[in-house]
Amino acid sequence: MPRLPILAAALTAVFTFAAQAGDFSLSSPDIAEGQPMAERHVLNGFGCSGGNSSPALAWNGAPAGTKSFALTVYDPDAPTGSGWWHWVVYDLPATLAALPADASRRGLPQGARQGRTDFGAPGYGGPCPPSGAPHRYVFTVHALDVETLELPPDASAAMVGFMLHSHSLGRAVLTARYGW
């Protein structure tokens, strides 16, 4: 019988974490859940001629103990076998609750870093899928238990992702679409 209180405590901790993480949300005045992205956010390259402007994003309800945030934009539908990383930003201060439109080019808060995307360089790269079914673009803000991720300047998106999952307190997701 002594195992029952331990199990109850563990389940309480899991459901408390789930409830806290469930309050964490991501929104945008520029993109809407499940809706197509505007041309101003589309890549200017690879045959596309969009504005390549990162959308404005806002989040709230971060879990207790959050010491920093990270943001990723990922296309799970890219025909690569491993998806496509469009934007990786980390070491965002815990006091931050939003990024303005075009933050990738206009500048991020002091100390924030942009990781190398699958375009081969840091910074936002908008959607530009091949013709066919629309692709999903998963915007995720991660609440982290560390102030900074100790990563080299040329860290790949996969390496950043590994560190994000190692330090995650919760995440909030907004998924938009683009394509024909």
Side-chain angles (χ1 to χ4, degrees), residues 125-149:
C128 184
S131 60
H135 285 214
R136 294 168 289 161
Y137 297 88
V138 182
F139 290 76
T140 306
V141 63
H142 304 261
L144 305 175
D145 66 359
V146 293
E147 289 183 16
T148 61
L149 295 176

Side-chain angles (χ1 to χ4, degrees), residues 4 8 14 47 50 57-59 66 71 73 76 87 91 93 100 114 120 124 127 135 140 143-144 160 163-165 169:
L4 190 55
V14 167
L57 299 165
W59 53 92
T66 298
L71 172 70
V73 181
W87 199 19
D91 293 350
Q114 296 187 87
Y124 175 81
H135 285 214
T140 306
L144 305 175
V160 174
M163 295 299 286
L164 295 179
H165 291 288
L169 294 172

Side-chain angles (χ1 to χ4, degrees), residues 3-178:
R3 292 184 184 166
L4 190 55
I6 294 171
L7 178 60
L11 288 174
T12 299
V14 167
F15 288 118
T16 300
F17 176 77
Q20 289 173 346
D23 295 337
F24 192 24
S25 64
L26 176 61
S27 63
S28 173
D30 296 332
I31 56 175
E33 181 66 35
Q35 298 301 306
M37 293 177 67
E39 290 297 316
R40 70 181 177 271
H41 304 300
V42 173
L43 184 70
N44 187 4
F46 283 31
C48 291
S49 56
N52 204 44
S53 173
S54 57
L57 299 165
W59 53 92
N60 62 51
T66 298
K67 294 183 179 175
S68 70
F69 294 104
L71 172 70
T72 59
V73 181
Y74 177 72
D75 172 3
D77 304 315
T80 64
S82 62
W84 191 272
W85 292 100
H86 285 261
W87 199 19
V88 179
V89 183
Y90 56 98
D91 293 350
L92 293 165
T95 55
L96 193 69
L99 286 175
D102 209 20
S104 178
R105 288 190 293 215
R106 289 185 180 178
L108 295 166
Q110 185 174 0
R113 298 169 63 186
Q114 296 187 87
R116 183 169 34 97
T117 68
D118 286 335
F119 291 106
Y124 175 81
C128 184
S131 60
H135 285 214
R136 294 168 289 161
Y137 297 88
V138 182
F139 290 76
T140 306
V141 63
H142 304 261
L144 305 175
D145 66 359
V146 293
E147 289 183 16
T148 61
L149 295 176
E150 300 298 325
L151 291 166
D154 65 342
S156 68
M159 182 182 281
V160 174
F162 175 81
M163 295 299 286
L164 295 179
H165 291 288
S166 297
H167 293 285
S168 180
L169 294 172
R171 62 190 185 135
V173 177
L174 175 63
T175 304
R177 296 184 171 278
Y178 185 80

